[in-house]
Amino acid sequence: MTPGENMSFKIGIVGLPNVGKSTLFNAITKSKVEAANYPFATIDPNIGVVAVPDERLAKLAKQEKSEKIVPTTIEFVDIAGLVKGASAGEGLGNQFLSHIREVDAIMEVIRFFENKDIIHVQGNIDPQRDMETIAIELQLADLQNVDKRMETVSRAAKSGDREMIVKKAVLEKYKAALEKGQMANTVILSDEEKENSKDIQLLTTKPIMFVANDKFDLDKKEFTSSGVILKPSASEAEGSQFQKEILRSDALHQNDAVIRIDAQLESELAELDDAERADYLKELGLPESGLDKIIKAAYKTLGLITFITAGPKESKAWTCTVGTKAPQAAGKIHTDFEKGFIRAEVIQWDKLLEAGGYGGSRDKGWLRVEGKEYTIQDGDVVHFRFNV
């Protein structure tokens, strides 16, 4: 059998110099890279692979007496700071932009904290201006790419090639949006346009998450943003309210994920063991760590879910996209599982725990048999049946 590929995905951390990107990278990957107080401390991208925290795995492993636990992972890429004029080669702009092209989603870090000892490349703290600077540089880089592609595609479209005609229409839509100062991911494409433009990889078609690097007041147990005190909240409403009040920018869209953290505090939390970290978060009144917030936002932004296989050998998490059918999920484990798929035995993880195992689940009628058209749900525990 040929092993399948558990989906791995890359999040590129971008932002202006000295906004806390490397500090955040250190915290979420628990690794040590240079986080210096000057622009371009990070030239080559640092890469860290992070296990996705999932309490479901440990509980299932205990019940199933699994020999090991295998979480799914996210790859974080710490990309050097962009500056105004990066699209024209300012700083090390072109090199940085090429690194962004290789990631699945962009996590933009915006500086909200005040610290006179850490210089700001543009002189003062202005989150809206910083967001717009990054947006403009990404848009200008995309415009250059679109113009270059347009020359080749336009010539091919004249021959009457339907694919090239459609591709030309897509490029024209992207160009119109970018020239208006809009991200390419705001462009609405038909199914035919999507199918024929998969090879048009633009920076601003990538999903974008925003991280507001703020200062958490340990005494007041509150965040301070540009003079506004905001209490931490576990609800999704916090993101939209924070977005509405603080991040007023054309670079931010209604559906973009917004996460508020203190990167320096996250660095301190990263040094603690799991029990100490949980106690400290509780003491601070924070419902979860910044890493947990980022991973949840990443999954939502990229449209990802997790399904689980659990047994005596191992309890393992697998990542797939929302809407994945059972045979394609089976293919994540082994390619032969997809080719020879017969059926899947499925139960939600909490129901499996409640039943005390697979035997109890069958007795209660909770372990369902699903066919090729079944759509995998987040938290499904699945056992695949297949022909070799």
Side-chain angles (χ1 to χ4, degrees):
M1 290 187 294
T2 304
E5 293 186 5
N6 193 8
M7 176 183 285
S8 60
F9 53 100
K10 291 183 180 180
I11 305 291
I13 307 176
V14 305
L16 295 173
N18 295 344
V19 298
K21 293 184 294 76
S22 293
T23 301
L24 178 59
F25 177 85
N26 289 346
I28 60 183
T29 62
K30 295 185 180 179
S31 60
K32 300 297 180 185
V33 300
E34 188 173 15
N37 177 26
Y38 56 88
F40 314 124
T42 311
I43 297 175
D44 294 323
N46 298 289
I47 299 173
V49 180
V50 177
V52 175
D54 194 334
E55 63 177 11
R56 301 173 295 189
L57 279 179
K59 292 177 180 178
L60 289 167
K62 182 177 180 181
Q63 177 176 271
E64 298 303 315
K65 298 181 174 58
S66 303
E67 293 177 15
K68 62 180 179 178
I69 297 173
V70 184
T72 189
T73 60
I74 298 180
E75 197 169 305
F76 286 94
V77 183
D78 180 26
I79 298 169
L82 284 167
V83 294
K84 189 173 182 180
S87 59
E90 286 296 321
L92 296 173
N94 291 330
Q95 183 179 345
F96 301 161
L97 292 168
S98 70
H99 295 315
I100 300 174
R101 289 191 175 93
E102 297 171 4
V103 302
D104 299 301
I106 295 170
M107 186 169 80
E108 182 177 331
V109 182
I110 312 148
R111 179 172 170 178
F112 278 76
F113 68 89
E114 297 276 358
N115 188 327
K116 63 181 189 290
D117 296 323
I118 301 178
I119 62 172
H120 189 290
V121 72
Q122 296 199 46
N124 66 311
I125 307 302
D126 186 338
Q128 180 173 332
R129 177 204 58 208
D130 294 352
M131 290 179 71
E132 289 170 351
T133 296
I134 297 293
I136 289 168
E137 294 308 320
L138 297 180
Q139 289 162 10
L140 288 173
D142 278 350
L143 263 174
Q144 292 174 10
N145 191 352
V146 167
D147 286 339
K148 188 175 180 180
R149 291 292 300 274
M150 188 75 81
E151 293 177 16
T152 305
V153 171
S154 294
R155 284 196 298 270
K158 289 178 181 178
S159 68
D161 185 314
R162 178 63 186 173
E163 180 182 341
M164 290 300 170
I165 291 170
V166 173
K167 194 169 292 186
K168 181 173 180 287
V170 171
L171 288 169
E172 288 170 346
K173 285 185 177 183
Y174 284 152
K175 183 178 176 67
L178 292 164
E179 287 178 340
K180 292 177 185 176
Q182 298 170 350
M183 300 295 209
N185 60 17
T186 62
V187 172
I188 298 173
L189 301 178
S190 68
D191 290 341
E192 183 185 20
E193 288 173 331
K194 289 177 184 176
E195 183 61 32
N196 287 285
S197 62
K198 289 178 180 178
D199 65 325
I200 301 175
Q201 299 293 325
L202 300 182
L203 302 177
T204 63
T205 56
K206 295 181 184 295
I208 300 179
M209 308 157 45
F210 294 89
V211 171
N213 188 12
D214 199 0
K215 177 65 178 173
F216 186 79
D217 190 313
L218 298 176
D219 296 322
K220 295 181 180 179
K221 297 182 173 57
E222 294 172 333
F223 282 101
T224 305
S225 294
S226 303
V228 179
I229 300 294
L230 295 165
K231 292 181 180 295
S233 167
S235 70
E236 289 188 1
E238 176 209 340
S240 59
Q241 184 65 17
F242 181 57
Q243 168 182 319
K244 182 179 177 182
E245 293 183 2
I246 305 299
L247 298 180
R248 299 182 182 278
S249 172
D250 290 339
L252 186 69
H253 301 289
Q254 187 176 359
N255 296 323
D256 289 330
V258 181
I259 309 119
R260 185 171 69 252
I261 66 166
D262 181 335
Q264 190 57 50
L265 175 61
E266 294 299 324
S267 291
E268 296 169 13
L269 288 168
E271 300 299 325
L272 305 177
D273 62 35
D274 291 344
E276 290 174 325
R277 189 181 308 111
D279 288 343
Y280 193 28
L281 286 169
K282 186 176 180 180
E283 179 187 330
L284 295 175
L286 292 169
E288 58 189 346
S289 70
L291 174 60
D292 289 337
K293 281 185 177 183
I294 287 167
I295 288 174
K296 286 180 182 178
Y299 266 65
K300 184 176 180 181
T301 299
L302 287 168
L304 302 174
I305 59 172
T306 299
F307 71 92
I308 300 165
T309 53
K313 184 179 178 181
E314 65 182 18
S315 287
K316 184 168 183 174
W318 302 86
T319 305
C320 65
T321 55
V322 172
T324 297
K325 300 293 186 183
Q328 286 68 52
K332 300 289 180 185
I333 302 172
H334 283 285
T335 53
D336 285 354
F337 280 29
E338 181 176 355
K339 293 174 185 175
F341 179 88
I342 301 172
R343 63 182 181 274
E345 294 180 335
V346 184
I347 184 171
Q348 268 287 305
W349 72 277
D350 53 346
K351 301 302 286 184
L352 182 58
L353 288 177
E354 186 181 337
Y358 292 105
S361 299
R362 288 190 180 92
D363 293 341
K364 292 178 180 293
W366 291 352
L367 193 65
R368 311 185 313 277
V369 176
E370 301 287 358
K372 292 182 178 181
E373 293 305 310
Y374 177 70
T375 300
I376 297 293
Q377 303 298 309
D378 187 61
D380 275 349
V381 181
V382 190
H383 182 69
F384 295 105
R385 301 289 185 183
F386 66 100
N387 283 321
V388 177

